Structure formats: C-alpha cells, structure tokens
Amino acid sequence: MRSKTVIIGGVAGGATTAARLRRRDESMEIIMFEKGEYISYANCGLPYYIGDVIKSRDALLLQTPMAMKNKFNIDVRIASEVTAIHVNDKKVSVKNLKTGEEYEETYDFLVIATGSSPIKPPIPGIDGDNIFTLWTVPDTDVIKAYINEKKPKTAAVIGGGFIGLEMAENLHTAGLEVSLIEMQNQVMAPVDYEMAQLLHENMRMNHINLVLEDGVRSFDLNNGKTIINLSSGKIIEADMVILSIGVRPNSTLAKNAGIALNEKGGIIVHDCLQTSEPNIYAVGDVIEVENFVLKDKTMVPLAGPANKQARICADNIVGGSKKYKGTLGTAVAKVFDLNVASVGMNEKALKVLGKEKGRDYDTVVINQKSHAGYYPGATPITLKLIFDKVGKIYGGQIIGQDGVDKRIDTIATTMRLNGTIYDLAELELAYAPPFSSAKDPVNMLGFVAENVIDGLVSFIESDELDKQLQSANEDYIVLDVTEEMERMVFSIPDSYHIPLGQIHERLNELDREKLIIIYCAIGVRSYNAARVLMQNGFQKVKVLSGGTAFYKSMHHMDEIETRPVLKPQSGNGEKMSEEEKTDIIKTNQEIKVLDCCGLQCPGPIMKVYEAICAMEENQILKVSATDMGFAKDIDSWCKRTGNTLIKTERKDKENIVYIKKGVDVCDVSAASTSTVKTQLPQGKTLVVFSGDLDKVLAAFIIANGAASMGRPVTMFFTFWGLNALRKQEKVSVKKPIIDRMFGAMMPRGAKKLKLSNLNMGGMGTLMMRKVMKDKNVDSIEELMKKAMASGIKLVACTMSMDVMGITKDELIEGVELAGVASYLGDAEESNVNLFI
C-alpha cells in the first residue's frame, strides 16, 4: 500500500522535502499546500529585485506548481490554507482561498514547513498605507509598484538585520535618501559591536542616515509623508517605510494541534526532526534547533539549514534514521561596499554565558589582504576569531570587500569537523597571487590564536584601552611604533612614539614597571615590538587588537580629532560644490596619478608624501587605494601638511582622492569656535639661545622631526646659540681686541660645545658623545647636515653677531643672516614656536 505525505508550506523547506521524497520513493503520494500564490522562490533575492540589481522578476521563481507536477509528480495546491491539524485522525482541514471551498485531506506523514513571518509590533500608525514589510513575492510587487508610481524621494528602514540592511542598500541604489533606525547599539546582531562599527562607518560613508539606540514610538501621516516619532524625541520624515524588525515562527497550527513548542513559539523536534507526534515532522524557520557549538537550543531562521533539514526529514520519512546535528548559523551579507559574515557564537553571547556558567574564552582580531598585496586589486579584510584555552573554536566574524565568503566557509567547515585553532594554522589552502597569500588569512587567525594560547602575545581591546585612558591610573604607557608620517595622520592621545626600527636602541626610555600598550596601524609591527620588549625583560606588555585601523572605526573622529577642518572654497568664500571640484580637476593641465592599491600601511601615506614633495605648488595628485580607511586618513594628512583634499570618490573597490599641493583659502572650524577664513599655519620656528651641547642637540632633533613631517622650519640662532654655527677651524679676520677676547673664550663650533649639567671639566661631554656613538645616535654635526639637507633655515641673528663679535666668515656654509623682523615673519606663519 503506497503511503501519503502532506507538506504544509511550499517555499525552502517544504519544496525541498517534496523533491527529495520523490527521488527516494517514486510511488509515494505527495501533496504540498501553500497559502500563497508562489512556491520555491528566492526570498533572499527580493531586496535586489527592488534595487533593480536583479532585473527579471521571473528569475526569483525557482519552481512553479506546473513544473513540480511535471518533473516530480507532486500535487501542489497553491492559495490553499491549512486551517487545522487533526492529530488523532491523521487529517488536515484545508480552505481554498480562491473558491472558499473547505475540505479535509488525510495523511500518513505530515511535514510542517510553515516558516516565519515579519514581526509587526502594536505601534500606533504601523498599518499606514506607505509602511511595508518584505517577506514574499507579493510584498515585493507592492513595494516595487509604489516606488515606480509614487516616485518617493526618502525612505526609512526600521531594523538593522539582514533584510533591513539589504533594503537600505537597494533603496539607496534606487535613488532614495535612506534613514536606517535600529533600537540596539549596532546593526547586524550576529557580529560583535566592534565589527559592526566597520559597517556603521561604511554606511555613513554611503550617506545613510544611521540612527542607533533609538526605537519607534509612533507613526503619523502628514501630507503623504510618514512622520516617525522616536523614543528619544527625534522625528524623521519619510515617503515610505520598510519594517524589518524581526520574524516569528508560524507555529499557530502546531500549537492548536497540541504539538510541543518552546517559549519562543518554535516547534520542538527530536534530532531526526520528528515533533512530539511521531508521524509529524517539521523543518525550517518554524523549528527549534540545537546550537552546534554549545549544544543548547536556539532558533535560526536561515535558508541553508532549512534545506538541509528538509533532505534529512525526507530520508527519515522513507525509513532512514539520519540525525540533524545542529546549526552553526553561518551567514553572509553584502552591505554597501563591504561583505559581512559570521559563524557560531559571538562574544556578546559568550559574555552573558560566562557570567552564568564561568565560560572562558579569548579573541583575536587581525587585518589582512584578500590576496597577495602586490597583485592588483588586493583589499583589506578584518577577521575576528573566538576560541577557548585549549583551541576550541566558538565562532568567527569577517568583514571586507573580497574573499569574505570563502574564509567564513573555511572556518565553518573546520568547526563542523570539530577542528581547533591548530587546524586553522595547519590547513593547506590554495594559493596563487590573484586568490590568496602564501599564509592565508585563515592560517593567520590560527597562528595568532596559537600565539595567544602560548603566551607569546596578549591583546587589549579598544574599549579596554579607552577605560585605561579615562582612568586616573598612570601605571601604563601607550607606545606608538608607527612611522612619523603615519603619526601625522593619527595618534592616540598622550602616546609615546618610538618607531619599530628604533625600538632596540631606545628600550631604556620605557619604564619596565608599567604596563606597555603597543599599537601600530594593523597590529603586525606592534606584535613585533611586543616580542622585543618581552624578550628584554618587560613583564607587562599588551598589543592593541586590530591596530589604529580598527581603533579609529570604534570612535567617531570628532571624539579624537580636534584640529581645524579644511574645506576647499570657491571664489566667493562659500564651500566648494561638487561641480566646482570636478571643474578644477578637469581644467588642471597636468594631473599626477599614483596607484597605492594593495599597499600595506604605511605604504599609501608614504607614497603620497613622496609624490607631493616632487610636485609644484597647485598641481593635483590623483591617488587610488583599496584601503577602506584611506580617504579618512588622507583627509587628516592634508590638514596637517598644508595640502588641500579636493574630492574623494568610490570607483569599484577603490578609493579615489584628488589632492592639490598647497592650501586654498579655507574654513578653519572647530566645534567650540565660530567659522573664520584664514590660512592654516604649518611652520615651526625655534629660537636657539643656548650654547650648551645637550640643548642645541635637542633643538636639532626637534627641527629634523618637524622637517620629516613636511613642515617649513626656521632655526634662529642668537647670543650663545651662535657658537653652534661657528666653523671649527680658526678663521683669520681683523677684529677689535674685545671681539677677539670673546672669540677666544667661546667654543668654536658644534664639536666644542659642552653639557649644561655634569660637564665635569669636559669628561661628561666626552662620555655623552661616546654614548651617542655607541647607540647610533646622530652627532650634532650630522644632525646639522641633515637639517640643511632637509631645507631647514639656519638663521644667525645679525644684532647678536655684532654684540658677540662674530663675523659672517666665521660661520659655516649655508647659514642665513637676518634680524628679528625676519624671524618674527616666519613665526607668524608657524603654529609652534620654541625658545631653547
């Protein structure tokens, strides 16, 4: 006697169960009821049809009732609502929604694949005519028709989950101004807050009005617009609203039939996907599943698990004994320029569990390239791994432009096979420059996690560093190991600077009793510095997780950036329009082009600096870079170097910036001051009054540092400071007797200068020079040569020369003679003036 299976629901889980059943049993009678008009459609693709990325509506319809009948001999009944399940009689009640006919259908096996529905909380005004949800093909048709007919200019998306983010992007693509409102402090709940910040930053770069930690109190309609009243008191107007607040399982049928549910309304199933009733199975969004990592129960409304459950369910109906072993929750989404993916547990959930169950774990965050950096098109990729002390992997999160999906799949596969961080380190993955690096980012996750477990490195997170900076505790040093050029772009307040290349020689500048927190751009150099310190007896060393590339994304730049903001202006003093910026670029006779794509920090900034130095004033440099933070970094760099950032734009996966060498008349604005028109002074002036070796040495070190940052520097030598500029050999010149006496008593040139303290009859000076030589510190003579080679102006005060009896012939070559007025003129063009 042939058996009969009835399936309630015809989308992912239901359609897959039906097709698999037919492949396993040609004789079985299979009936599938679907309440709507469509079966087996690509609901994950619906937002992209609205954004016109997917052009054909038919492409979304994977199967039709007629095709299912012809291919698989399955009786598909659309517009048919199952209104009741009669467990004891093995029957279901059905209503034909087109004809109104009601009837009963018997079954031997029943599969509940009713899925889930969007949540619509009881918010006043939520049923307005221009407020929509997106879950089915008819939902899509309604939204698409509204956009085509009403031509809305603005839209608000309520909720920052997968559909909310995809709708925000596609409405933006369709030309609407979009606000996204999320009650939590982040979008994309499966990832942790710090990873979500990368998405927040990118959404704002794409001109999305992102409103976080604010819920909707009510909706009002005014002149065709929806007024969204938020809990904070803010008001947002929109021509249309998309609700993406979440979903709930469609389990009313099961509940009314007495089938066991969990507290969230999910159908409880055994590992073979049977419900509390032996002949009734359930799959998809409607069921409770096991969390593969922690082995507790959860709800995971994803298409991938639903299809796998359907296959197991069908096999068990025909006599199999397969088990569904749980869900990892592996997911990926495109969010504007970035792709975001996650698998397993996030840190937020583990923190809660840690308090309840004492669960311990570690995390690592690394920045890598999607493929070999020297091959064109390499883009940054940020990876986070969560693991315990023995290497068990709890979860992973990845954000980037390329290669995100294959890396999350690799981690998910390793987790599914009960692999550890050691397995990640040992995986042999395909490598060629266009596809990856010899050490794939997944391998690097394993390497770094292994270093953490072995005690070779300890990380500090951005929020932990902030707490340290805000505390009254002074038992720590924040150490910046970046290059000087990078420090121009960004530095953590009150950090101490020792470039990595100087770390061995300058260890004695650091207090071994204090906690040393090291940072660089992405974490590689800071790790190397940490290893140097730890192997030289430093006991308390931590590395800033993810480096400043990550740290800057955790903060709004106005929280840590207090310098004036340059805004290119038009001739009438107003902020330059996009059209005017484009005209400047088009009419420029010669535009230098610089390709920084794929370069690792600090490569792009260093390349820009070199190019700008070789250019003439007012020339334009066009720079392309794949680093997502490059546009913000170059903005900061231009402010500090006196150059003008004209325009930034995105083209494919590249950031394109246009820089004009030199500063236009510009606005200098800060939050606490009114806007004024001025030139931004960038020069540095130093008055060198002292003739002591150590003080003159300090003056030249400061001057050379400023010059390396591209600043104009003037050193004004007066009175005893003039001795540093004297030639070492005796020069025969006619002088009055008093002048000759002065010359005999004063040191002749830099080699004769003495220490201000501990000179000890010249012994201290000799010791100082020997220590400097042994530790490869430039002598004062070498510093003077470098200063002049860097364009630093060495100016001798003519009035002081007269008083001291020093003539021009006695000074070294390259020194300018000038008076106080000349020095004051340079000082007015400077934002730093030092008296030494």
Side-chain angles (χ1 to χ4, degrees):
M1 179 179 177
R2 76 170 184 164
S3 62
K4 178 179 180 181
T5 298
V6 168
I7 301 170
I8 308 173
V11 191
T16 299
T17 301
R20 177 68 175 176
L21 276 173
R22 176 56 69 226
R23 285 190 286 266
R24 290 300 309 270
D25 189 339
E26 179 63 24
S27 66
M28 179 180 286
E29 183 181 358
I30 304 170
I31 302 173
M32 186 166 69
F33 294 106
E34 169 56 44
K35 182 179 178 180
E37 294 285 336
Y38 303 92
I39 64 164
S40 190
Y41 56 84
N43 51 359
C44 296
L46 300 181
Y48 298 100
Y49 174 62
I50 290 173
D52 215 27
V53 176
I54 296 173
K55 304 291 184 182
S56 170
R57 179 179 181 276
D58 291 342
L60 300 170
L61 306 177
L62 307 180
Q63 287 284 1
T64 65
M66 184 63 69
M68 289 288 280
K69 178 65 176 177
N70 294 337
K71 293 179 183 178
F72 302 107
N73 191 26
I74 292 170
D75 182 1
V76 179
R77 304 177 190 178
I78 60 173
S80 296
E81 181 182 5
V82 175
T83 57
I85 301 171
H86 308 288
V87 174
N88 295 332
D89 298 329
K90 290 189 178 182
K91 294 180 180 178
V92 294
S93 296
V94 185
K95 181 178 181 179
N96 186 316
L97 299 179
K98 291 184 176 179
T99 65
E101 175 194 0
E102 296 186 17
Y103 61 95
E104 291 182 342
E105 191 71 53
T106 62
Y107 64 82
D108 295 305
F109 299 98
L110 179 68
V111 179
I112 302 173
T114 45
S116 56
S117 296
I119 293 173
K120 288 187 71 174
I123 299 173
I126 198 169
D127 293 320
D129 290 341
N130 56 355
I131 300 177
F132 309 95
T133 58
L134 178 64
W135 202 244
T136 65
V137 172
D139 294 340
T140 309
D141 293 337
V142 170
I143 294 171
K144 188 85 168 177
Y146 186 88
I147 292 173
N148 291 337
E149 295 169 11
K150 302 294 185 179
K151 310 294 184 187
K153 303 295 184 185
T154 59
V157 177
I158 315 299
F162 285 94
I163 291 179
L165 292 175
E166 289 167 352
M167 278 304 301
E169 177 179 354
N170 281 282
L171 289 170
H172 178 268
T173 301
L176 282 74
E177 293 182 15
V178 180
S179 297
L180 189 141
I181 302 163
E182 169 56 55
M183 188 184 298
Q184 304 302 318
N185 66 349
Q186 66 166 87
V187 301
M188 196 59 74
V191 303
D192 288 310
Y193 174 76
E194 72 272 18
M195 296 292 281
Q197 283 285 69
L198 300 176
L199 302 178
H200 300 163
E201 183 179 42
N202 189 253
M203 291 172 71
R204 291 184 174 114
M205 284 174 59
N206 281 279
H207 310 295
I208 297 298
N209 175 30
L210 184 59
V211 181
L212 299 173
E213 297 186 87
D214 213 348
V216 177
R217 191 173 67 243
S218 65
F219 297 100
D220 294 318
L221 194 62
N222 184 16
N223 293 326
K225 285 183 176 290
T226 293
I227 311 300
I228 306 166
N229 302 294
L230 302 181
S231 301
S232 64
K234 293 179 182 177
I235 293 175
I236 293 177
E237 291 188 3
D239 296 327
M240 65 180 299
V241 176
I242 303 292
L243 300 177
S244 180
I245 300 171
V247 297
R248 56 171 177 76
N250 295 329
S251 56
T252 303
L253 266 177
K255 179 181 178 180
N256 293 340
I259 295 171
L261 307 181
N262 66 13
E263 60 184 12
K264 294 182 178 179
I267 298 175
I268 298 172
V269 294
H270 305 302
D271 53 12
C272 63
L273 299 170
Q274 278 181 315
T275 68
S276 56
E277 296 295 330
N279 286 75
I280 300 179
Y281 293 76
V283 298
D285 293 4
V286 75
I287 70 168
E288 171 188 86
V289 296
E290 182 179 84
N291 180 314
F292 184 83
V293 179
L294 301 181
K295 306 306 179 185
D296 56 2
K297 299 300 182 181
T298 187
M299 302 281 292
V300 182
L302 292 173
N307 279 278
K308 294 171 184 64
Q309 292 156 15
R311 179 183 175 88
I312 292 171
C313 173
D315 286 353
N316 290 340
I317 287 174
V318 296
S321 57
K322 289 185 176 179
K323 296 181 178 181
Y324 184 69
K325 298 177 182 178
T327 299
L328 278 167
T330 312
V332 66
K334 179 180 179 297
V335 183
F336 292 92
D337 304 300
L338 295 175
N339 301 319
V340 53
S342 64
V343 62
M345 302 297 296
N346 57 37
E347 192 176 1
K348 292 175 295 186
L350 287 175
K351 282 180 178 178
V352 174
L353 291 172
K355 293 177 181 178
E356 296 175 354
K357 302 178 182 179
R359 190 174 297 277
D360 196 11
Y361 65 91
D362 268 310
T363 67
V364 295
V365 175
I366 63 172
N367 289 282
Q368 296 288 299
K369 295 292 184 183
S370 57
H371 59 249
Y374 56 82
Y375 187 87
T379 57
I381 182 170
T382 302
L383 305 93
K384 177 174 182 176
L385 191 71
I386 308 168
F387 55 97
D388 69 10
K389 299 297 184 183
V390 296
K392 174 184 170 68
I393 303 170
Y394 287 141
Q397 300 160 33
I398 308 179
I399 294 179
Q401 293 174 271
D402 269 333
V404 169
D405 53 344
K406 75 174 182 177
R407 269 68 187 226
I408 206 69
D409 287 345
T410 303
I411 296 171
T413 301
T414 304
M415 292 175 69
R416 175 62 71 169
L417 298 176
N418 294 312
T420 67
I421 61 103
Y422 302 104
D423 294 302
L424 292 184
E426 294 172 6
L427 285 175
E428 185 176 341
L429 302 171
Y431 161 62
F435 306 103
S436 184
S437 301
K439 292 181 286 189
D440 189 86
V442 170
N443 295 137
M444 290 302 299
L445 273 178
F447 297 155
V448 178
E450 188 175 353
N451 287 340
V452 170
I453 291 175
D454 292 345
L456 296 179
V457 66
S458 179
F459 288 102
I460 185 170
E461 303 300 326
S462 296
D463 59 339
E464 294 175 315
L465 175 59
D466 288 339
K467 290 176 183 176
Q468 193 78 260
L469 295 173
Q470 293 162 9
S471 70
N473 176 25
E474 296 183 356
D475 292 333
Y476 70 92
I477 297 171
V478 179
L479 178 61
D480 178 355
V481 295
T482 66
E483 297 300 315
E484 190 69 52
M485 194 60 60
E486 293 172 271
R487 196 167 169 84
M488 291 171 58
V489 173
F490 173 80
S491 63
I492 293 175
D494 300 321
S495 57
Y496 192 74
H497 185 220
I498 303 178
L500 178 61
Q502 302 174 24
I503 198 73
H504 290 90
E505 291 75 23
R506 297 174 63 182
L507 288 175
N508 57 357
E509 297 178 25
L510 301 172
D511 189 336
R512 293 173 182 270
E513 300 303 315
K514 292 186 175 182
L515 168 64
I516 311 296
I517 302 170
I518 312 175
Y519 76 84
C520 65
I522 61 173
V524 176
R525 286 170 292 172
S526 48
Y527 167 66
N528 290 329
R531 295 304 305 143
V532 172
L533 265 62
M534 293 171 74
Q535 293 179 84
N536 279 275
F538 287 81
Q539 301 296 318
K540 296 180 286 186
V541 181
K542 287 185 178 290
V543 170
L544 178 61
S545 182
T548 56
F550 206 53
Y551 184 83
K552 285 184 288 186
S553 294
M554 300 307 103
H555 303 76
H556 293 299
M557 288 305 291
D558 55 7
E559 296 175 8
I560 48 182
E561 174 60 72
T562 58
R563 295 177 184 266
V565 178
L566 293 177
K567 299 176 183 176
Q569 289 193 345
S570 59
N572 60 11
E574 297 296 325
K575 184 178 177 182
M576 195 177 295
S577 67
E578 290 300 317
E579 291 77 12
E580 289 174 304
K581 293 177 185 179
T582 302
D583 287 343
I584 286 179
I585 294 167
K586 285 182 178 179
T587 56
N588 197 275
Q589 295 297 313
E590 184 179 0
I591 294 180
K592 306 289 184 182
V593 178
L594 181 63
D595 184 358
C596 295
C597 293
L599 287 183
Q600 195 81 5
C601 288
I605 293 294
M606 298 298 291
K607 289 288 187 182
V608 170
Y609 172 67
E610 293 169 4
I612 288 288
C613 287
M615 290 167 55
E616 300 293 330
E617 199 78 6
N618 294 322
Q619 278 190 312
I620 291 179
L621 177 67
K622 176 185 177 182
V623 189
S624 59
T626 47
D627 186 350
M628 291 297 291
F630 176 71
K632 184 181 292 184
D633 283 350
I634 206 66
D635 188 20
S636 298
W637 185 85
C638 286
K639 295 170 192 174
R640 287 164 169 78
T641 56
N643 296 292
T644 304
L645 178 61
I646 297 177
K647 185 178 181 180
T648 65
E649 61 186 15
R650 290 281 300 168
K651 187 176 180 181
D652 297 326
K653 294 172 183 175
E654 297 178 9
N655 286 295
I656 311 294
V657 302
Y658 295 86
I659 305 166
K660 187 169 83 170
K661 182 169 182 176
V663 185
D664 286 336
V665 176
C666 57
D667 279 346
V668 181
S669 58
S672 59
T673 59
S674 58
T675 302
V676 293
K677 294 178 186 175
T678 183
Q679 292 279 353
L680 180 66
Q682 292 289 332
K684 317 294 176 191
T685 51
L686 296 86
V687 178
V688 186
F689 177 86
S690 173
D692 296 326
L693 171 63
D694 42 350
K695 295 176 183 176
V696 176
L697 185 66
F700 274 101
I701 289 174
I702 294 169
N704 280 320
S708 71
M709 295 162 62
R711 309 295 203 275
V713 181
T714 298
M715 301 181 72
F716 188 74
F717 292 80
T718 183
F719 286 95
W720 313 113
L722 288 168
N723 292 314
L725 302 181
R726 295 179 70 188
K727 294 177 179 176
Q728 295 174 18
E729 67 274 15
K730 185 175 181 179
V731 179
S732 179
V733 291
K734 290 185 178 181
K735 290 185 180 182
I737 187 168
I738 297 295
D739 291 352
R740 288 202 304 271
M741 290 175 63
F742 258 116
M745 292 186 292
M746 294 187 302
R748 186 183 294 118
K751 275 195 173 180
K752 299 293 185 179
L753 301 183
K754 299 176 181 179
L755 291 176
S756 60
N757 291 299
L758 301 176
N759 187 51
M760 298 181 294
M763 284 296 296
T765 303
L766 292 173
M767 290 171 63
M768 177 73 163
R769 287 182 177 274
K770 184 178 186 309
V771 169
M772 290 170 61
K773 182 177 180 181
D774 290 345
K775 296 193 174 183
N776 295 319
V777 178
D778 286 341
S779 68
I780 191 167
E781 296 86 355
E782 291 168 326
L783 287 170
M784 291 174 73
K785 289 178 182 177
K786 287 184 177 180
M788 287 188 283
S790 299
I792 295 174
K793 289 169 60 177
L794 306 186
V795 180
C797 175
T798 52
M799 182 274 292
S800 297
M801 289 174 65
D802 288 340
V803 172
M804 307 293 287
I806 298 174
T807 67
K808 178 181 179 182
D809 293 333
E810 293 178 275
L811 301 182
I812 60 176
E813 297 297 325
V815 175
E816 298 179 24
L817 306 184
V820 174
S822 176
Y823 149 72
L824 291 175
D826 285 346
E828 285 187 359
E829 297 299 317
S830 301
N831 56 10
V832 172
N833 186 35
L834 302 177
F835 188 92
I836 300 175

